[in-house]
Amino acid sequence: MGDDLSSVFKKVTRKGRTKEELAEVICWLTQLDTTELEQTITSTRTLAEFFAKIKLNPKANLIKGKVCGIQVEVLADPFLRKVRYLDKLVDELAQGKPMAKVLRT
């Protein structure tokens, strides 16, 4: 799964955000600490495996808006919704939104 996240990392760093900020966002969504996140990433090969191993933050349902023209909160497929939640958070991070808004605090 590292290849999937490497493109995400490039996207946020190109926009002036840090690896630590990206990790904070992913940890918030997945409820993992950074050590658990690294272990989960290295032990999975696909996004489907990754999302099968984690439990989403209960506040993930506060993530709303469009990603690639699709409203994330209305996606019926739970896996696609999780992927789009992550996409939306990464987009907001890359757009320079304050971390408090990205993390819905």
Side-chain angles (χ1 to χ4, degrees):
M1 193 178 102
D3 290 338
D4 296 322
L5 287 179
S6 65
S7 63
V8 170
F9 175 68
K10 287 177 187 173
K11 177 180 181 177
V12 297
T13 56
R14 196 173 55 238
K15 300 289 185 167
R17 300 309 282 254
T18 66
K19 179 181 178 181
E20 291 76 19
E21 289 173 312
L22 176 60
E24 183 178 352
V25 167
I26 297 172
C27 287
W28 177 86
L29 179 64
T30 63
Q31 301 189 96
L32 301 172
D33 63 34
T34 53
T35 302
E36 293 169 325
L37 177 62
E38 287 179 27
Q39 290 171 346
T40 304
I41 288 171
T42 58
S43 69
T44 58
R45 296 174 192 232
T46 66
L47 282 173
E49 287 178 22
F50 176 77
F51 281 113
K53 289 183 176 187
I54 59 101
K55 184 176 178 182
L56 282 185
N57 186 314
K59 292 184 178 182
N61 65 340
L62 298 175
I63 303 168
K64 302 199 184 304
K66 291 185 178 182
V67 175
C68 299
I70 299 170
Q71 205 72 28
V72 296
E73 63 270 21
V74 298
L75 285 168
D77 183 316
F79 169 69
L80 287 178
R81 190 174 330 111
K82 291 174 186 176
V83 171
R84 292 303 184 192
Y85 281 162
L86 179 58
D87 286 343
K88 182 70 177 160
L89 294 177
V90 169
D91 285 350
E92 291 175 357
L93 184 65
Q95 292 168 357
K97 287 193 176 183
M99 191 60 80
K101 285 192 176 196
V102 175
L103 301 181
R104 300 340 194 233
T105 54

XYZ file of all heavy atoms in Angstrom:
832
model
N 0.817 -1.197 0.000
C 0.000 0.000 0.000
C 0.855 1.253 0.000
O 0.362 2.336 -0.252
C -0.934 0.001 1.206
C -1.998 1.044 1.060
S -3.135 1.059 2.396
C -2.535 2.439 3.288
N 2.112 1.130 0.269
C 2.994 2.278 0.301
C 2.928 3.117 -0.954
O 3.025 4.336 -0.904
N 2.778 2.481 -2.134
C 2.707 3.234 -3.381
C 1.481 4.130 -3.422
O 1.529 5.232 -3.948
C 2.696 2.287 -4.580
C 4.044 1.596 -4.766
O 5.055 2.124 -4.269
O 4.072 0.534 -5.393
N 0.364 3.665 -2.867
C -0.853 4.473 -2.839
C -0.633 5.731 -2.006
O -1.044 6.818 -2.395
C -2.027 3.683 -2.256
C -2.397 2.482 -3.104
O -2.359 2.575 -4.334
O -2.714 1.454 -2.505
N 0.013 5.577 -0.862
C 0.228 6.712 0.019
C 1.359 7.617 -0.452
O 1.390 8.791 -0.106
C 0.477 6.245 1.446
C -0.758 5.730 2.175
C -0.403 5.278 3.577
C -1.855 6.764 2.220
N 2.269 7.095 -1.266
C 3.363 7.946 -1.743
C 2.831 9.058 -2.634
O 3.310 10.186 -2.581
C 4.438 7.126 -2.453
O 3.936 6.535 -3.625
N 1.818 8.779 -3.440
C 1.239 9.831 -4.278
C 0.498 10.860 -3.424
O 0.525 12.052 -3.711
C 0.315 9.242 -5.336
O -0.781 8.591 -4.743
N -0.128 10.399 -2.351
C -0.801 11.307 -1.421
C 0.238 12.196 -0.741
O 0.059 13.408 -0.624
C -1.618 10.505 -0.371
C -2.126 11.401 0.735
C -2.761 9.770 -1.039
N 1.337 11.593 -0.306
C 2.412 12.345 0.341
C 2.956 13.414 -0.599
O 3.151 14.564 -0.200
C 3.516 11.395 0.797
C 4.714 12.097 1.363
C 4.633 12.776 2.574
C 5.913 12.100 0.687
C 5.730 13.438 3.098
C 7.020 12.758 1.207
C 6.927 13.425 2.412
N 3.177 13.054 -1.854
C 3.685 14.021 -2.829
C 2.705 15.175 -3.005
O 3.109 16.333 -3.117
C 3.938 13.346 -4.171
C 5.155 12.451 -4.174
C 5.307 11.750 -5.509
C 6.421 10.733 -5.454
N 6.485 9.920 -6.676
N 1.429 14.859 -3.034
C 0.403 15.886 -3.223
C 0.429 16.913 -2.093
O 0.422 18.116 -2.341
C -0.984 15.231 -3.303
C -2.122 16.214 -3.434
C -3.451 15.478 -3.510
C -4.600 16.408 -3.668
N -5.884 15.700 -3.817
N 0.474 16.454 -0.861
C 0.413 17.394 0.259
C 1.721 18.154 0.439
O 1.713 19.329 0.782
C -0.046 16.745 1.582
C -1.461 16.207 1.463
C 0.892 15.680 2.068
N 2.851 17.485 0.209
C 4.128 18.185 0.375
C 4.352 19.199 -0.740
O 4.964 20.238 -0.506
C 5.317 17.204 0.453
O 5.342 16.375 -0.701
C 5.242 16.370 1.713
N 3.852 18.908 -1.915
C 3.936 19.864 -3.028
C 3.184 21.153 -2.684
O 3.516 22.226 -3.133
C 3.355 19.198 -4.283
C 3.690 19.866 -5.567
C 3.215 19.059 -6.784
N 1.798 18.754 -6.745
C 1.283 17.525 -6.776
N 2.060 16.473 -6.846
N -0.016 17.337 -6.745
N 2.185 21.017 -1.832
C 1.373 22.169 -1.422
C 1.856 22.782 -0.113
O 1.184 23.616 0.481
C -0.097 21.745 -1.259
C -0.741 21.202 -2.507
C -0.982 22.295 -3.513
C -1.748 21.747 -4.703
N -2.262 22.794 -5.539
N 3.034 22.339 0.374
C 3.623 22.957 1.556
C 3.221 22.354 2.885
O 3.534 22.902 3.938
N 2.536 21.221 2.863
C 2.194 20.544 4.118
C 3.240 19.483 4.405
O 4.026 19.106 3.544
C 0.797 19.920 4.037
C -0.355 20.898 3.767
C -0.415 22.116 4.683
N -0.948 21.887 5.982
C -2.149 22.259 6.398
N -2.960 22.896 5.585
N -2.536 22.015 7.624
N 3.243 18.950 5.628
C 4.289 18.019 6.043
C 3.784 16.579 6.143
O 2.573 16.332 6.239
C 4.860 18.414 7.414
O 3.820 18.249 8.404
C 5.377 19.841 7.416
N 4.753 15.673 6.181
C 4.442 14.259 6.384
C 3.750 14.069 7.735
O 2.836 13.269 7.865
C 5.734 13.450 6.318
C 5.553 11.984 6.544
C 6.881 11.255 6.487
C 6.690 9.776 6.770
N 7.958 9.046 6.742
N 4.176 14.834 8.727
C 3.580 14.733 10.057
C 2.116 15.171 10.047
O 1.277 14.567 10.711
C 4.376 15.559 11.066
C 5.751 15.008 11.366
C 6.805 15.259 10.265
O 6.603 16.154 9.412
O 7.817 14.555 10.265
N 1.808 16.218 9.291
C 0.416 16.667 9.192
C -0.428 15.613 8.490
O -1.565 15.340 8.903
C 0.334 17.997 8.453
C 0.864 19.168 9.249
C 0.923 20.447 8.448
O 1.429 20.432 7.305
O 0.451 21.485 8.974
N 0.119 15.022 7.439
C -0.602 13.954 6.742
C -0.847 12.782 7.690
O -1.961 12.258 7.745
C 0.175 13.495 5.510
C -0.423 12.314 4.748
C -1.824 12.636 4.248
C 0.490 11.919 3.592
N 0.168 12.395 8.444
C 0.011 11.296 9.408
C -1.050 11.640 10.450
O -1.859 10.787 10.825
C 1.346 10.983 10.080
N -1.062 12.895 10.904
C -2.056 13.308 11.894
C -3.474 13.156 11.344
O -4.377 12.676 12.036
C -1.804 14.761 12.313
C -2.734 15.253 13.382
C -2.454 16.691 13.822
O -1.434 17.277 13.394
O -3.269 17.224 14.598
N -3.659 13.533 10.092
C -4.972 13.431 9.453
C -5.383 11.957 9.320
O -6.512 11.585 9.661
C -4.966 14.134 8.078
C -6.186 13.770 7.266
C -4.869 15.636 8.260
N -4.462 11.126 8.851
C -4.784 9.703 8.676
C -5.021 9.044 10.033
O -5.939 8.233 10.177
C -3.686 8.984 7.874
C -3.602 9.574 6.460
C -3.976 7.487 7.796
C -2.420 9.061 5.651
N -4.233 9.412 11.035
C -4.438 8.863 12.382
C -5.792 9.282 12.941
O -6.480 8.487 13.586
C -3.307 9.294 13.318
S -1.750 8.447 13.008
N -6.184 10.516 12.695
C -7.491 10.971 13.157
C -8.591 10.126 12.528
O -9.494 9.645 13.209
C -7.711 12.450 12.820
C -9.066 12.935 13.214
C -9.451 13.416 14.426
C -10.253 12.961 12.391
N -10.794 13.749 14.419
C -11.302 13.471 13.176
C -10.514 12.606 11.077
C -12.595 13.636 12.688
C -11.803 12.760 10.587
C -12.829 13.272 11.387
N -8.519 9.929 11.213
C -9.551 9.178 10.502
C -9.591 7.718 10.937
O -10.666 7.151 11.118
C -9.334 9.256 8.984
C -10.338 8.500 8.130
C -11.744 9.097 8.280
C -9.911 8.509 6.669
N -8.440 7.119 11.132
C -8.360 5.678 11.395
C -8.311 5.306 12.871
O -8.371 4.121 13.203
C -7.101 5.089 10.730
O -5.938 5.697 11.316
C -7.117 5.296 9.227
N -8.152 6.302 13.739
C -8.026 6.090 15.179
C -6.800 5.255 15.554
O -6.783 4.583 16.572
C -9.295 5.453 15.761
C -10.541 6.281 15.542
C -11.724 5.752 16.292
O -12.007 6.221 17.385
N -12.396 4.762 15.738
N -5.773 5.307 14.718
C -4.515 4.635 15.003
C -3.511 5.671 15.482
O -3.583 6.826 15.085
C -3.959 3.963 13.738
C -4.826 2.908 13.059
C -4.200 2.496 11.726
C -4.995 1.696 13.959
N -2.541 5.232 16.314
C -1.440 6.143 16.604
C -0.414 5.981 15.475
O -0.568 5.118 14.602
C -0.852 5.914 17.997
C -0.226 4.542 18.196
O 0.353 3.982 17.229
O -0.295 4.025 19.315
N 0.629 6.785 15.483
C 1.567 6.761 14.352
C 2.279 5.414 14.210
O 2.508 4.960 13.089
C 2.601 7.905 14.456
O 3.236 7.862 15.731
C 1.958 9.245 14.249
N 2.597 4.783 15.323
C 3.244 3.465 15.256
C 2.297 2.437 14.646
O 2.677 1.669 13.759
C 3.700 3.013 16.655
O 4.590 3.991 17.186
C 4.393 1.660 16.600
N 1.057 2.420 15.121
C 0.061 1.490 14.579
C -0.189 1.769 13.099
O -0.358 0.843 12.310
C -1.258 1.608 15.336
C -1.204 1.142 16.773
C -2.459 1.516 17.551
O -3.037 2.597 17.302
O -2.847 0.716 18.421
N -0.201 3.051 12.732
C -0.420 3.417 11.339
C 0.689 2.853 10.461
O 0.420 2.231 9.436
C -0.506 4.939 11.184
C -0.653 5.461 9.751
C -1.940 4.965 9.111
C -0.587 6.983 9.738
N 1.928 3.065 10.866
C 3.066 2.546 10.089
C 3.003 1.026 9.971
O 3.239 0.473 8.891
C 4.378 2.969 10.730
C 4.691 4.437 10.529
C 5.993 4.859 11.192
O 6.886 4.000 11.355
O 6.106 6.045 11.537
N 2.666 0.346 11.065
C 2.576 -1.118 11.037
C 1.458 -1.573 10.103
O 1.624 -2.535 9.355
C 2.346 -1.666 12.445
C 3.537 -1.521 13.360
C 3.215 -1.859 14.808
O 2.062 -1.961 15.211
N 4.260 -2.007 15.609
N 0.327 -0.902 10.154
C -0.807 -1.272 9.311
C -0.480 -1.030 7.841
O -0.798 -1.862 6.991
C -2.072 -0.488 9.725
O -2.319 -0.728 11.109
C -3.281 -0.923 8.922
N 0.176 0.073 7.548
C 0.544 0.373 6.167
C 1.515 -0.675 5.630
O 1.351 -1.164 4.510
C 1.131 1.793 6.049
C 0.014 2.830 6.226
C 1.830 1.993 4.703
C 0.511 4.256 6.343
N 2.512 -1.027 6.423
C 3.504 -1.992 5.944
C 2.953 -3.410 5.862
O 3.461 -4.221 5.097
C 4.781 -1.986 6.810
O 4.439 -2.269 8.159
C 5.500 -0.664 6.714
N 1.914 -3.715 6.605
C 1.372 -5.072 6.593
C 0.211 -5.258 5.619
O -0.346 -6.352 5.530
C 0.923 -5.477 8.001
O -0.213 -4.734 8.391
N -0.161 -4.217 4.899
C -1.255 -4.335 3.937
C -0.760 -4.032 2.537
O 0.174 -3.275 2.337
C -2.426 -3.397 4.280
O -1.955 -2.058 4.328
C -3.065 -3.753 5.596
N -1.417 -4.625 1.572
C -1.019 -4.438 0.174
C -1.995 -3.572 -0.601
O -1.636 -3.011 -1.622
C -0.889 -5.785 -0.521
C 0.206 -6.620 0.059
C 0.213 -7.987 -0.558
N 1.094 -8.824 0.221
C 2.074 -9.528 -0.293
N 2.280 -9.539 -1.577
N 2.844 -10.248 0.485
N -3.217 -3.498 -0.136
C -4.229 -2.740 -0.871
C -4.992 -1.827 0.090
O -4.979 -2.034 1.307
C -5.253 -3.683 -1.547
O -5.987 -4.364 -0.525
C -4.570 -4.683 -2.474
N -5.671 -0.851 -0.485
C -6.530 0.006 0.332
C -7.657 -0.792 0.964
O -8.059 -0.521 2.090
C -7.101 1.145 -0.512
C -6.162 2.300 -0.795
C -6.788 3.274 -1.790
C -5.782 3.024 0.474
N -8.169 -1.793 0.261
C -9.248 -2.617 0.817
C -8.774 -3.324 2.083
O -9.492 -3.351 3.086
C -9.725 -3.629 -0.218
N -7.560 -3.875 2.057
C -7.008 -4.526 3.248
C -6.800 -3.510 4.369
O -7.092 -3.792 5.529
C -5.664 -5.183 2.935
C -5.754 -6.442 2.112
C -4.368 -7.011 1.797
O -3.402 -6.706 2.521
O -4.266 -7.756 0.815
N -6.284 -2.346 4.007
C -6.037 -1.299 4.994
C -7.327 -0.912 5.700
O -7.403 -0.912 6.924
C -5.410 -0.087 4.307
C -5.210 1.091 5.222
C -4.168 1.105 6.134
C -6.048 2.194 5.164
C -3.965 2.197 6.978
C -5.847 3.286 6.001
C -4.811 3.284 6.902
N -8.363 -0.595 4.916
C -9.617 -0.148 5.527
C -10.348 -1.281 6.247
O -11.125 -1.026 7.159
C -10.512 0.532 4.498
C -10.097 1.945 4.209
C -9.592 2.299 2.972
C -10.188 2.928 5.183
C -9.192 3.607 2.707
C -9.785 4.229 4.935
C -9.290 4.571 3.692
N -10.081 -2.519 5.874
C -10.682 -3.654 6.592
C -10.078 -3.795 7.986
O -10.733 -4.294 8.901
C -10.488 -4.939 5.801
N -8.835 -3.326 8.168
C -8.145 -3.476 9.449
C -8.406 -2.337 10.432
O -8.075 -2.460 11.600
C -6.630 -3.566 9.218
C -6.181 -4.836 8.582
C -4.678 -4.862 8.473
C -4.200 -6.187 7.931
N -2.734 -6.287 7.966
N -8.962 -1.268 9.973
C -9.110 -0.099 10.842
C -10.567 0.158 11.178
O -11.483 -0.339 10.531
C -8.471 1.165 10.214
C -9.085 1.504 8.851
C -6.990 0.995 10.064
C -10.066 2.596 8.879
N -10.742 0.972 12.207
C -12.074 1.423 12.610
C -12.091 2.939 12.431
O -11.218 3.635 12.944
C -12.317 1.045 14.072
C -13.695 1.372 14.557
C -13.870 0.876 15.984
C -15.248 1.264 16.478
N -15.451 0.864 17.862
N -13.052 3.427 11.682
C -13.117 4.862 11.423
C -13.474 5.662 12.663
O -14.203 5.185 13.537
C -14.173 5.174 10.357
C -13.830 4.934 8.909
C -14.969 5.433 8.024
C -12.536 5.562 8.492
N -12.976 6.865 12.692
C -13.316 7.814 13.733
C -14.839 8.035 13.688
O -15.410 8.208 12.608
C -12.587 9.133 13.461
C -12.756 10.143 14.558
O -13.847 10.377 15.062
N -11.663 10.768 14.920
N -15.511 8.030 14.843
C -16.959 8.261 14.853
C -17.355 9.601 14.225
O -18.477 9.756 13.760
C -17.326 8.230 16.332
C -16.208 7.537 17.018
C -14.989 7.771 16.173
N -16.435 10.561 14.213
C -16.736 11.855 13.614
C -16.529 11.882 12.100
O -16.711 12.907 11.471
C -15.877 12.943 14.260
C -16.241 13.200 15.702
C -15.441 14.340 16.251
C -15.833 14.644 17.685
N -15.088 15.789 18.212
N -16.170 10.739 11.511
C -15.952 10.697 10.056
C -17.212 11.081 9.295
O -17.125 11.630 8.195
C -15.477 9.310 9.634
N -18.373 10.850 9.898
C -19.611 11.222 9.212
C -19.770 12.735 9.070
O -20.649 13.202 8.350
C -20.827 10.613 9.917
C -21.028 11.157 11.312
O -20.106 11.700 11.932
N -22.222 11.008 11.829
N -18.908 13.508 9.724
C -18.920 14.969 9.560
C -18.204 15.408 8.285
O -18.275 16.577 7.914
C -18.268 15.643 10.773
C -18.935 15.414 12.116
C -18.113 16.043 13.232
C -20.358 15.952 12.113
N -17.523 14.478 7.631
C -16.826 14.786 6.386
C -17.863 14.832 5.271
O -18.504 13.834 4.979
C -15.740 13.733 6.073
C -14.750 13.645 7.225
C -15.038 14.058 4.759
C -13.809 12.450 7.153
N -18.008 15.992 4.717
C -19.017 16.192 3.667
C -18.390 16.944 2.514
O -17.380 17.611 2.664
C -20.197 16.969 4.226
C -20.838 16.274 5.427
C -22.216 16.752 5.689
C -22.833 16.162 6.919
N -22.909 14.763 7.016
N -18.999 16.833 1.376
C -18.511 17.552 0.211
C -18.245 16.610 -0.949
O -18.512 15.417 -0.883
N -17.737 17.197 -2.012
C -17.503 16.431 -3.233
C -16.027 16.128 -3.426
O -15.169 16.953 -3.155
C -18.009 17.210 -4.443
C -19.507 17.322 -4.508
C -19.946 18.001 -5.779
C -21.464 18.058 -5.821
N -21.939 18.676 -7.058
N -15.793 14.923 -3.915
C -14.477 14.507 -4.367
C -14.698 13.900 -5.749
O -15.514 12.988 -5.900
C -13.836 13.459 -3.421
C -12.529 12.954 -3.992
C -13.624 14.043 -2.039
N -14.014 14.439 -6.731
C -14.185 13.989 -8.119
C -15.658 14.073 -8.543
O -16.163 13.205 -9.252
C -13.642 12.582 -8.309
S -11.898 12.424 -7.977
N -16.337 15.106 -8.079
C -17.723 15.334 -8.456
C -18.737 14.454 -7.754
O -19.918 14.502 -8.065
N -18.296 13.656 -6.794
C -19.197 12.742 -6.085
C -19.317 13.180 -4.635
O -18.321 13.401 -3.954
C -18.675 11.293 -6.153
C -18.592 10.844 -7.608
C -19.555 10.354 -5.339
C -17.881 9.530 -7.806
N -20.553 13.305 -4.173
C -20.836 13.681 -2.795
C -20.455 12.516 -1.886
O -21.048 11.442 -1.958
C -22.326 14.019 -2.666
C -22.690 14.929 -1.562
C -22.252 16.369 -1.807
O -22.131 16.829 -2.928
N -21.995 17.063 -0.730
N -19.449 12.701 -1.024
C -18.916 11.582 -0.235
C -19.923 11.009 0.749
O -19.940 9.798 0.972
C -17.609 11.954 0.505
C -16.501 12.264 -0.450
C -17.797 13.074 1.485
N -20.747 11.846 1.326
C -21.646 11.356 2.374
C -22.802 10.510 1.853
O -23.494 9.862 2.641
C -22.173 12.515 3.234
C -23.012 13.520 2.498
C -22.234 14.679 1.894
O -21.012 14.572 1.679
O -22.868 15.707 1.611
N -23.021 10.470 0.550
C -24.129 9.678 0.018
C -23.674 8.389 -0.665
O -24.515 7.644 -1.166
C -25.003 10.507 -0.965
C -25.624 11.697 -0.260
C -24.216 10.936 -2.183
N -22.387 8.117 -0.651
C -21.905 6.877 -1.263
C -22.468 5.679 -0.510
O -22.356 5.594 0.715
C -20.376 6.832 -1.249
C -19.687 7.724 -2.272
C -18.205 7.828 -1.979
C -19.911 7.192 -3.669
N -23.044 4.743 -1.227
C -23.651 3.566 -0.603
C -22.610 2.512 -0.230
O -22.748 1.834 0.781
C -24.690 2.960 -1.543
N -21.569 2.384 -1.027
C -20.537 1.378 -0.776
C -19.646 1.845 0.371
O -18.961 2.866 0.260
C -19.712 1.179 -2.047
C -18.656 0.102 -1.904
O -17.957 0.062 -0.868
O -18.504 -0.696 -2.851
N -19.627 1.109 1.490
C -18.836 1.535 2.657
C -17.343 1.685 2.350
O -16.700 2.603 2.854
C -19.064 0.431 3.690
C -20.276 -0.296 3.236
C -20.373 -0.112 1.753
N -16.784 0.797 1.541
C -15.367 0.900 1.199
C -15.091 2.178 0.413
O -14.166 2.924 0.744
C -14.910 -0.326 0.400
C -13.540 -0.151 -0.197
C -12.414 -0.106 0.613
C -13.385 -0.007 -1.565
C -11.149 0.078 0.062
C -12.133 0.175 -2.119
C -11.011 0.216 -1.305
N -15.887 2.448 -0.599
C -15.691 3.670 -1.393
C -15.867 4.922 -0.548
O -15.143 5.904 -0.722
C -16.652 3.707 -2.581
C -16.340 2.740 -3.716
C -17.398 2.837 -4.807
C -14.964 3.001 -4.287
N -16.805 4.884 0.382
C -17.019 6.034 1.255
C -15.765 6.288 2.103
O -15.315 7.420 2.247
C -18.240 5.830 2.151
C -18.633 7.088 2.905
C -19.929 6.977 3.708
N -20.897 6.079 3.159
C -21.252 4.921 3.723
N -20.712 4.527 4.857
N -22.157 4.153 3.169
N -15.162 5.223 2.643
C -13.943 5.372 3.442
C -12.809 5.954 2.611
O -12.090 6.844 3.066
C -13.521 4.019 4.028
C -14.461 3.501 5.090
C -14.058 2.102 5.516
C -15.061 1.503 6.463
N -14.733 0.111 6.825
N -12.652 5.460 1.400
C -11.600 5.967 0.513
C -11.838 7.443 0.211
O -10.913 8.260 0.255
C -11.523 5.143 -0.787
C -10.588 5.797 -1.799
C -11.078 3.716 -0.494
N -13.064 7.802 -0.068
C -13.385 9.201 -0.392
C -13.254 10.102 0.836
O -12.904 11.267 0.713
C -14.786 9.317 -0.995
C -14.893 8.697 -2.361
C -13.903 9.307 -3.315
N -14.082 8.769 -4.650
C -13.232 8.931 -5.629
N -12.133 9.625 -5.443
N -13.458 8.405 -6.797
N -13.546 9.574 2.027
C -13.290 10.345 3.248
C -11.808 10.716 3.316
O -11.450 11.864 3.573
C -13.647 9.547 4.506
C -15.112 9.478 4.881
C -15.550 8.500 5.756
C -16.048 10.383 4.400
C -16.883 8.417 6.150
C -17.378 10.303 4.776
C -17.792 9.316 5.654
O -19.109 9.241 6.041
N -10.953 9.732 3.088
C -9.516 9.996 3.105
C -9.146 10.990 2.013
O -8.399 11.943 2.262
C -8.732 8.694 2.944
C -7.208 8.831 2.920
C -6.688 9.491 4.194
C -6.568 7.467 2.713
N -9.687 10.810 0.809
C -9.430 11.750 -0.292
C -9.818 13.172 0.092
O -9.085 14.129 -0.162
C -10.216 11.360 -1.548
C -9.668 10.158 -2.268
O -8.508 9.784 -2.020
O -10.411 9.589 -3.089
N -10.978 13.317 0.699
C -11.485 14.639 1.070
C -10.572 15.291 2.100
O -10.245 16.481 1.984
C -12.917 14.519 1.609
C -13.572 15.820 1.970
C -13.879 16.647 0.743
C -14.614 17.912 1.133
N -14.517 18.924 0.106
N -10.150 14.534 3.106
C -9.264 15.087 4.129
C -7.927 15.502 3.527
O -7.392 16.564 3.857
C -9.053 14.075 5.257
C -10.278 13.742 6.101
C -9.930 12.683 7.134
C -10.852 14.971 6.768
N -7.390 14.682 2.648
C -6.120 15.002 1.989
C -6.279 16.247 1.122
O -5.407 17.126 1.125
C -5.609 13.798 1.172
C -4.445 14.197 0.270
C -5.208 12.667 2.101
N -7.382 16.342 0.404
C -7.641 17.539 -0.409
C -7.680 18.791 0.460
O -7.093 19.819 0.122
C -8.956 17.423 -1.178
C -8.883 16.496 -2.376
O -7.754 16.069 -2.734
O -9.938 16.188 -2.947
N -8.390 18.708 1.581
C -8.484 19.867 2.474
C -7.119 20.241 3.044
O -6.787 21.421 3.139
C -9.476 19.577 3.603
C -10.906 19.489 3.133
C -11.881 19.094 4.219
O -11.470 18.814 5.367
O -13.088 19.065 3.920
N -6.334 19.248 3.406
C -4.985 19.490 3.910
C -4.145 20.174 2.834
O -3.487 21.181 3.088
C -4.342 18.179 4.353
C -2.957 18.265 4.984
C -3.020 19.029 6.308
C -2.389 16.873 5.202
N -4.202 19.640 1.618
C -3.424 20.196 0.512
C -3.879 21.614 0.147
O -3.077 22.425 -0.305
C -3.520 19.285 -0.706
N -5.153 21.908 0.367
C -5.681 23.244 0.065
C -5.278 24.275 1.114
O -5.562 25.453 0.966
C -7.203 23.200 -0.044
C -7.710 22.445 -1.237
C -9.206 22.161 -1.173
O -9.876 22.489 -0.195
N -9.731 21.524 -2.202
N -4.643 23.811 2.185
C -4.169 24.733 3.209
C -5.165 25.051 4.303
O -4.966 25.991 5.071
N -6.225 24.265 4.401
C -7.195 24.513 5.464
C -6.522 24.301 6.817
O -5.642 23.445 6.956
C -8.402 23.585 5.330
C -9.298 23.960 4.180
C -10.616 23.251 4.269
C -11.516 23.756 3.138
N -12.839 23.170 3.210
N -6.952 25.032 7.822
C -6.382 24.838 9.165
C -6.657 23.409 9.653
O -7.714 22.836 9.375
C -7.139 25.846 10.028
C -7.722 26.832 9.075
C -7.938 26.115 7.786
N -5.705 22.867 10.387
C -5.819 21.482 10.863
C -7.086 21.276 11.680
O -7.733 20.231 11.579
C -4.585 21.111 11.680
C -4.493 19.645 11.980
S -4.411 18.584 10.521
C -2.702 18.737 10.105
N -7.491 22.252 12.473
C -8.702 22.111 13.283
C -9.929 21.879 12.397
O -10.810 21.090 12.760
C -8.899 23.349 14.156
N -9.982 22.530 11.252
C -11.128 22.315 10.344
C -11.033 20.971 9.671
O -12.048 20.290 9.504
C -11.185 23.425 9.299
C -11.694 24.734 9.859
C -12.021 25.709 8.753
C -12.617 26.954 9.397
N -13.291 27.800 8.463
N -9.833 20.582 9.270
C -9.651 19.285 8.619
C -10.061 18.166 9.569
O -10.728 17.215 9.168
C -8.191 19.088 8.154
C -7.983 17.690 7.596
C -7.795 20.139 7.121
N -9.711 18.298 10.841
C -9.999 17.257 11.831
C -11.365 17.418 12.495
O -11.680 16.716 13.456
C -8.906 17.235 12.914
C -7.488 16.980 12.392
C -6.505 16.965 13.552
C -7.417 15.713 11.578
N -12.158 18.333 11.997
C -13.532 18.517 12.474
C -13.602 18.767 13.969
O -14.421 18.220 14.680
C -14.409 17.326 12.131
C -14.634 16.898 10.661
C -14.356 17.921 9.688
N -14.870 17.650 8.342
C -14.082 17.693 7.271
N -12.794 17.897 7.377
N -14.605 17.544 6.082
N -12.673 19.643 14.473
C -12.700 19.955 15.902
C -13.241 21.345 16.139
O -13.366 22.141 15.263
C -11.286 19.863 16.521
O -10.392 20.684 15.791
C -10.805 18.450 16.512
